[in-house]
Structure formats: structure tokens, C-alpha cells
Amino acid sequence: MFQSFLKNVVLFHRAQPKAPNFLLVYAIIWLICHHQFFISLFTSSGSFSSKINTAITETDHQYILTLLLTGLFFIARLVYFYLAQKANALIEEEGVVENKLGHDQVFTENKDVIRLIALLEESKEKLALAKTKEIQLQQEKTVAINTSCALQAELDEVNADLIVITQQYEQLKENPHVAHKR
């Protein structure tokens, strides 16, 4: 059983994307943990060897802690990829999710979905009201345009009659004796 577990872990590890080099990760973590080494190296005075001695003596050499942090980084990376793989496998499997979950985890009512459906129904009603109002306003606009056109036609007729009457009046003013003969 332990061999099959190790075999599965090795197969899983081989299937994952290439991890950064262990020594590179170790060196980066060491630099982060021991940044005081470089500060002491550059701020101390004296020859190069005395600067190195000062920097070494001022820093704690916690190599085991750095090694543990590096190991923790790689373990966390493997755990993340393992959980991501299992989550993807669960999602991709066919079948109803509720059948895989325990009966206590099956939800009986989803309030968000109910609120969303109610909001959708309310929006449909408002849209229907807006459409009927738009049709009514369109009809009123058409009636107003037709009335305006009819009034403009009457105004044009009255204007034409006024022009004719004005012309006749001007003619009568010029020739007053023609009006008596009629």
C-alpha cells in the first residue's frame, strides 16, 4: 500500500509543471533571511577580509531554518497542484454533484436564485409597461402630427384666400367705379 502511495506521488510530481531549481529557491530564501549580511558587508569599514568577518559574525547562520523554509515552499507548491488537480477532476467528472456530496450538504433552497428570478419577473413587467406606453405615445404623436398637418392645410387655404381677397381689395381701391357696376 505504501509503495502504491509513493508511486502515485511520483507520478503526480512528474505530471506537474517544472519547478524552480531547489538551490535557486534556497539561495533566494537565504538572501531574504540574511539580508543583514550584505548590509554589514557594505557598511563596515576596513579591508575586504575584515568586512567579510564582520558580516559573518553579525549574522546568525540559520541554515536549517532556511532549508526548512525551502522544503516548505516545495511542499506547499505540491499541495496546491494536488488540490487543484483533484478539484479539476471533481468538476470534470460526469454525474450530478449532489449525488457525490453528502445529504447534509445538498441545499434545498437557494435564496439568491429566487431573488434573481423575482427581479427578472419585475423587469419583464416594467418592460411590458414601457412598451405599451411607447406604443401609446407613438399613437398620440401620429394623431398630433395629423392634426398639425390638417391645421397647416387649413391655414394655407385661409392664407391663399386672404391673398386673393387682398388682391381684389387692391383692385377695388384702384377702380372704385367697377365695384358699383356689379
Side-chain angles (χ1 to χ4, degrees), residues 29-113:
I29 292 175
W30 185 87
L31 288 174
I32 291 170
C33 290
H34 297 91
H35 65 282
Q36 187 65 33
F37 175 83
F38 295 104
I39 293 172
S40 298
L41 183 68
F42 292 115
T43 57
S44 63
S45 61
S47 67
F48 184 70
S49 62
S50 66
K51 286 183 177 184
I52 289 178
N53 281 337
T54 305
I56 289 173
T57 57
E58 287 185 8
T59 58
D60 295 330
H61 301 288
Q62 299 174 349
Y63 298 110
I64 299 297
L65 178 64
T66 307
L67 183 64
L68 289 175
L69 288 175
T70 305
L72 184 65
F73 169 79
F74 280 99
I75 289 171
R77 182 183 173 278
L78 281 176
V79 167
Y80 168 77
F81 282 121
Y82 179 75
L83 292 176
Q85 181 188 25
K86 286 298 181 183
N88 289 337
L90 181 65
I91 290 171
E92 290 176 0
E93 283 181 5
E94 291 186 37
V96 182
V97 174
E98 285 83 7
N99 292 340
K100 294 181 179 104
L101 297 174
H103 293 293
D104 58 337
Q105 293 180 354
V106 177
F107 53 86
T108 57
E109 178 180 339
N110 194 342
K111 293 179 182 177
D112 292 336
V113 173

Side-chain angles (χ1 to χ4, degrees), residues 133-146:
K133 200 173 204 177
E134 181 182 359
I135 291 169
Q136 182 184 7
L137 290 174
Q138 190 71 24
Q139 290 171 348
E140 289 176 5
K141 178 181 162 186
T142 305
V143 168
I145 290 173
N146 289 341

Side-chain angles (χ1 to χ4, degrees), residues 114-141:
I114 292 171
R115 276 185 256 155
L116 185 62
I117 290 173
L119 182 65
L120 184 62
E121 292 296 325
E122 183 180 333
S123 298
K124 281 183 182 179
E125 291 171 5
K126 286 181 181 178
L127 182 63
L129 273 170
K131 281 188 176 187
T132 56
K133 200 173 204 177
E134 181 182 359
I135 291 169
Q136 182 184 7
L137 290 174
Q138 190 71 24
Q139 290 171 348
E140 289 176 5
K141 178 181 162 186

